[in-house]
Structure formats: C-alpha cells, structure tokens
Amino acid sequence: MSESTSNASTAEDARTAKDARTAKDARTAKERIGRYGVWSVGLRSEDPALRGGIGEAAAELEQLGYGAAWLGGSSAARHAAPLLEATSRLTVGTSIQSIWQYDAEASAAAFARLEAAHPGRFLLGLGASHAKLADQYRRPYSSLAAYLDALDAAGVPAGRRVLAALGPKMLKLSADRAAGAVPYLVTPEHTAEARGILGEEPLLAPEFKVVLETDPVRARTLARESLAMYLTLPNYTNSFLRLGFTEDDLAAGGSDRLIDALYAWGDDDRIRERITAFHQAGADHVALQVVDGGARDSLPREAWRRLAALLV
C-alpha cells in the first residue's frame, strides 16, 4: 500500500469514527431531553435580581418532567450555568447563540467549562441569525460552516451542538456537522420535510408556540403580537412561503391560516393534539414556548405547570 493510500485510509477511518461518535451523542441527547422541553427568553436573563428565580424555575421544570430548557434570544453558555447548577438532570441548550455575537474560540472555552462541571447536560445551539439583527451578517451558510470548523479545532464535539436550521442546506449541515437541528417558528409539515433531509439518526427538536387561551379572537391577537417581529425577517417569511403560504398570508399581521399553523391555542385536547402532530411528523422533542402577552423575559411558571399536566 502506498503512503498516499495509507493516509487516505487513515483519514477515512477517522471520519467514520467521528461520525459514529456524533451519532452516539445524538442518541444520548434524545434520551436525555425526552419528548418535551420549554423555550424561554426569561430563563437567560442577566438581571442579578432574577438569578434565584431562574434557578427555582429550572428546578421546577425538572420536577415537572420537562427534559430540556432552551434559552431564547442570543444566549450563550454563561446563561446556562445557573440552570445547570440548580438541577441535576435537566439539559440546557442555547436557542440560539448567534455566530456573529460570540467568538468561536471563546464559545469553545465556555463549553469546556460547563462540560467539566456538568458533563453531558449542555447543548450548544448555534445559528446565523438575520441580516436585520446582525451588522456582520454575510454568507450565512459559509460563515456557519467556518464557525463549526473553528469549534472542531477547539475540541467541541459535533454531537454536542445543534443548529437553528430552516432551509434544506442548513438542515443538511445540521445532519453532517452537528447532532441535529432546532428549527424555530415551524409547522409539522416543516418537521416532516426536515426529518426527510436529516435522516433517522439526528436530533430534531422544533420550537412551537402555545397560547393557553380558548377564545379565538384573544388567542389570535396574542399570537399576532408575538409574530409581528418575525414577519419582518426574510429567513422566516421565505420559510413560510416554501411551506405553501402566500404573500396574502403574511400581510396584516398574518392570516388566520398562518396563525393557526404556527401557534397552538384552544382547550387542552386541541393543544395536546397540535403538539402531538410534531411528533407524528418526525420530531424527537418539541420545545414549547408560552405566549401570553407578558413581558418577553417573564417566567410563566403557572403556564408551564398547566402544559406539563396536559402532556402527561
């Protein structure tokens, strides 16, 4: 065997071993986080006055049976630390950490510190954010791939990171370079398409918004207030159009058809049915975000209790 052939064989063996480790990490993540988690901006608050409340809320989420807490906004490892310290089993993930806001090497160092203190319980969720939110935004796919290269070099395992993927290229990247995907603001139809792209092994954990309100006018009003910002972001509106919605659906705060696809509302049976649809479409886990008209950084603990009860 020539030296070049031997080197190629060694490289192929290394890639195979790495892929096997990533698949194993993805399976472990699925087991750890279970079927349901919560998505919250409030859980990543940096207000010192809220730190104790965040820890208490995290401990209750664990007791209620949620497998994961997903930190909204552009969160980072430091935001996960208080939740991990207050719990013993809960997985905490960033959803998402913007690649434009946090340096890859610094992120890798922060990951290593959390991993040393709380082995296996932190998932680094990454995304390319949006042109309107990041001045540096450019070539999102290539930039995210380069960020993953830097994390590889710094020793962050591919199986311990997930990507905020919507389109086919980002979903494929999630399967190839991460444990899976954490799509935001999607439908069961998107989940079915995503599972087809990802394949069977990678983790698929979509976020889904819940309005615990039975009155359709009130529920849709709350949903439209929540959706308004996202309708200004092309990454999301393009995703809606790919799913078969029209420009008319995106106008005037969103049509009833769009609202009812993106938000669960109604009685307990209807909400449960809507969440179950994601699992039936191929989701391993659903990250539930309560929409109640309250402050974005609030901790809707009573709503989390009600959700936990209806999911039993």
Side-chain angles (χ1 to χ4, degrees):
M1 181 184 296
S2 68
E3 183 177 350
S4 61
T5 302
S6 177
N7 289 341
S9 177
T10 300
E12 181 61 30
D13 289 346
R15 282 193 295 272
T16 299
K18 183 178 178 181
D19 290 346
R21 288 195 299 272
T22 300
K24 181 179 179 181
D25 283 344
R27 290 193 296 271
T28 300
K30 291 180 187 183
E31 293 169 1
R32 280 184 176 273
I33 68 175
R35 290 171 63 81
Y36 307 108
V38 299
W39 191 104
S40 167
V41 173
L43 288 172
R44 56 87 70 205
S45 175
E46 295 180 320
D47 185 345
L50 297 179
R51 187 179 178 100
I54 288 172
E56 291 175 3
E60 184 177 18
L61 290 174
E62 184 174 76
Q63 293 167 2
L64 289 170
Y66 292 106
W70 298 95
L71 308 184
S74 183
S75 47
R78 71 174 185 274
H79 300 115
L83 287 78
L84 293 169
E85 291 165 2
T87 58
S88 59
R89 302 181 309 278
L90 191 73
T91 293
V92 182
T94 52
S95 183
I96 52 86
Q97 177 178 302
S98 170
I99 62 171
W100 313 111
Q101 188 172 348
Y102 297 96
D103 174 80
E105 287 73 17
S107 295
F111 174 90
R113 289 192 294 271
L114 273 190
E115 180 64 14
H118 310 282
R121 294 177 54 210
F122 175 64
L123 286 173
L124 180 60
L126 299 165
S129 189
H130 306 271
K132 290 188 176 183
L133 302 180
D135 292 338
Q136 314 97 306
Y137 189 90
R138 66 192 184 284
R139 302 175 62 207
Y141 179 89
S142 298
S143 296
L144 181 52
Y147 198 97
L148 296 175
D149 290 341
L151 291 180
D152 287 344
V156 177
R160 300 292 302 288
R161 58 204 192 204
V162 289
L163 305 185
L166 289 174
K169 285 182 66 178
M170 284 295 192
L171 285 164
K172 185 66 165 59
L173 189 67
S174 302
D176 294 343
R177 303 289 306 279
V182 286
Y184 186 86
L185 203 58
V186 293
T187 65
E189 291 74 19
H190 180 278
T191 293
E193 292 179 8
R195 176 54 72 195
I197 294 168
L198 289 172
E200 192 66 29
E201 284 285 352
L203 171 67
L204 180 54
E207 176 269 354
F208 188 43
K209 295 174 175 57
V210 178
V211 185
L212 294 172
E213 174 63 61
T214 57
D215 178 74
V217 174
R218 174 64 176 160
R220 289 173 177 147
T221 296
L222 290 171
R224 286 190 174 94
E225 291 173 356
S226 163
L227 186 63
M229 178 187 73
Y230 301 109
L231 288 177
T232 70
L233 302 174
N235 290 5
Y236 290 119
T237 56
N238 289 338
S239 175
F240 302 153
L241 294 173
R242 284 195 300 269
L243 287 168
F245 295 99
T246 68
E247 293 288 354
D248 288 343
D249 287 311
L250 309 184
S255 67
D256 286 354
R257 183 170 84 107
L258 180 66
I259 292 297
D260 293 351
L262 296 174
Y263 293 76
W265 60 269
D267 61 23
D268 287 0
D269 287 340
R270 181 174 179 180
I271 290 173
R272 186 185 301 110
E273 180 181 341
R274 294 297 316 287
I275 296 169
T276 299
F278 280 87
H279 288 294
Q280 292 173 337
D284 300 297
H285 174 95
V286 183
L288 299 168
Q289 179 179 179
V290 169
V291 173
D292 60 6
R296 184 166 160 79
D297 63 351
S298 65
L299 299 172
R301 294 174 65 175
E302 180 54 42
W304 291 338
R305 293 177 195 126
R306 180 178 164 189
L307 271 177
L310 72 85
L311 292 171
V312 172

